[in-house]
Amino acid sequence: MEVAPGEHLPHDRPDGDASWLAYGDVLTEQGDVRGELIRMEWRHARSRPADREALRRDVDALVAEHRHRWDAELPDGVTAVTRRYGFATKVAVDWSDDAPALIERALRERFVTALCIAPAAQDDEDYEDWEGELDEDGEPAPPPLVAAGALAGLDLSRLVELDLSYLRIGGPGAEALAASLATGRIRTLDLRYCAMDDAGLAALAASPALGGLRRLHLQRNALTARGMCSLHRFERLVELDLRYNEIGEEGVDALLAAPFIGSVERLLLYRADVSDAGAKKLALDSRIPATLRSYWRSV
């Protein structure tokens, strides 16, 4: 997509009102109604409480009138998940052979900095419930892993948020993903139900693009106590989900030694994940915030 004059301004200061207002003037000159939307949102945020409801109705009406046209700007197969001033900021793509090309096109959009790569339509439930072939025990076999090479070829350097939940990338896929994140500034990474092992987590932890990671979701993977040491690379974590992994007491020891443990705000685990002994350590160790200790004393 061609970059308009002045379009760099919101990228330079994405949360700065002056940047967006200046860009709104550019859009208005080009006849793009999103220039007016920026002005309306700005007025709404600063209006008196008595005026906000009417202004919100005007904003919503403008968005409803033009949303279909804005959605049509995205490539077929790419869905806008969230928008700012009418521009897609987070998009979703279903995984398929065509997904890498679609993702490349989607990330050319002006303000897309968050991406969800979803499993193929038939795999949109937990992979445990996948109704495919049966394994040697007669149980439903999980879907096959995503081809690691396809992940390695993606350029994800502009993203701040990446959601691969329920996409079975496995350990090799996680290592390939780390290669595609050689540069960047990811702050939120969702890898729930990805069939990832300790080696895959170690590869991701070594990626320079994840040094500023704040939120990491690893629910139900194949992680063990050994993998918990890799988490030490993520020094700025404030939210960590490790539910349904075999962490054990040894894994708790590794977590308690992590540099983020004193400032983490959410640490999602179950007693069964860490054992009774591990739960006791979480309840008593003064290195973790008092609110988290209080929770573990109550379970």
Side-chain angles (χ1 to χ4, degrees):
M1 177 174 292
E2 184 179 353
V3 177
E7 192 163 304
H8 64 283
L9 292 173
H11 287 301
D12 295 339
R13 296 189 61 192
D15 296 319
D17 291 333
S19 297
W20 279 104
L21 288 171
Y23 186 47
D25 291 340
V26 173
L27 293 171
T28 300
E29 291 174 3
Q30 296 174 342
D32 191 326
V33 72
R34 283 171 289 202
E36 176 60 20
L37 179 60
I38 291 172
R39 290 285 175 182
M40 292 170 67
E41 291 275 19
W42 187 87
R43 289 196 298 269
H44 174 267
R46 287 154 185 79
S47 62
R48 299 179 304 167
D51 298 331
R52 286 178 188 165
E53 184 176 351
L55 287 170
R56 175 47 56 187
R57 286 197 300 267
D58 292 341
V59 168
D60 292 344
L62 183 65
V63 170
E65 180 181 355
H66 296 278
R67 182 187 289 118
H68 180 74
R69 180 165 59 83
W70 296 335
D71 287 342
E73 295 176 353
L74 296 172
D76 290 341
V78 179
T79 303
V81 178
T82 60
R83 289 185 176 275
R84 184 171 188 184
Y85 304 129
F87 294 102
T89 55
K90 180 177 182 178
V91 297
V93 176
D94 287 345
W95 186 257
S96 68
D97 292 341
D98 298 329
L102 278 175
I103 291 167
E104 181 181 354
R105 291 175 61 193
L107 295 183
R108 293 183 195 143
E109 294 299 314
R110 303 180 194 184
F111 300 109
V112 171
T113 57
L115 171 67
C116 173
I117 307 177
Q122 65 267 29
D123 302 334
D124 56 1
E125 297 180 355
D126 297 0
Y127 62 77
E128 292 181 330
D129 301 323
W130 183 65
E131 295 181 0
E133 299 178 357
L134 301 181
D135 63 20
E136 59 185 13
D137 298 320
E139 297 295 327
L145 297 178
V146 169
L151 290 171
L154 299 176
D155 179 4
L156 305 176
S157 58
R158 69 179 293 183
L159 295 178
V160 297
E161 178 183 338
L162 179 61
D163 180 355
L164 301 181
S165 54
Y166 298 96
L167 187 69
R168 283 174 50 81
I169 63 173
E175 294 174 24
L177 179 63
S180 72
L181 291 172
T183 60
R185 51 196 178 99
I186 297 286
R187 296 295 178 265
T188 300
L189 182 60
D190 192 336
L191 296 173
R192 292 172 294 154
Y193 290 80
C194 284
M196 186 177 64
D197 57 14
D198 292 334
L201 180 58
L204 287 169
S207 171
L210 298 176
L213 195 66
R214 304 284 283 171
R215 295 170 181 81
L216 178 60
H217 298 269
L218 296 169
Q219 181 181 349
R220 199 181 286 279
N221 279 282
L223 303 178
T224 68
R226 181 181 178 184
M228 298 305 98
C229 293
S230 298
L231 295 174
H232 290 205
R233 295 284 192 97
F234 306 125
E235 298 183 359
R236 300 179 61 189
L237 283 181
V238 296
E239 184 173 317
L240 176 61
D241 184 353
L242 289 167
R243 291 173 294 177
Y244 299 114
N245 287 287
E246 296 184 6
I247 307 303
E249 182 181 4
E250 183 181 350
V252 169
D253 290 336
L255 282 175
L256 291 173
F260 58 78
I261 200 63
S263 56
V264 67
E265 298 170 4
R266 298 189 72 197
L267 178 61
L268 302 178
L269 283 163
Y270 292 130
R271 178 178 287 270
D273 303 327
V274 298
S275 77
D276 290 342
K280 184 175 182 180
K281 288 185 176 182
L282 289 169
L284 298 176
D285 198 295
S286 60
R287 286 174 288 186
I288 69 173
T291 53
L292 293 179
R293 294 201 308 273
S294 177
Y295 165 79
W296 282 102
R297 286 196 294 268
S298 68
V299 298

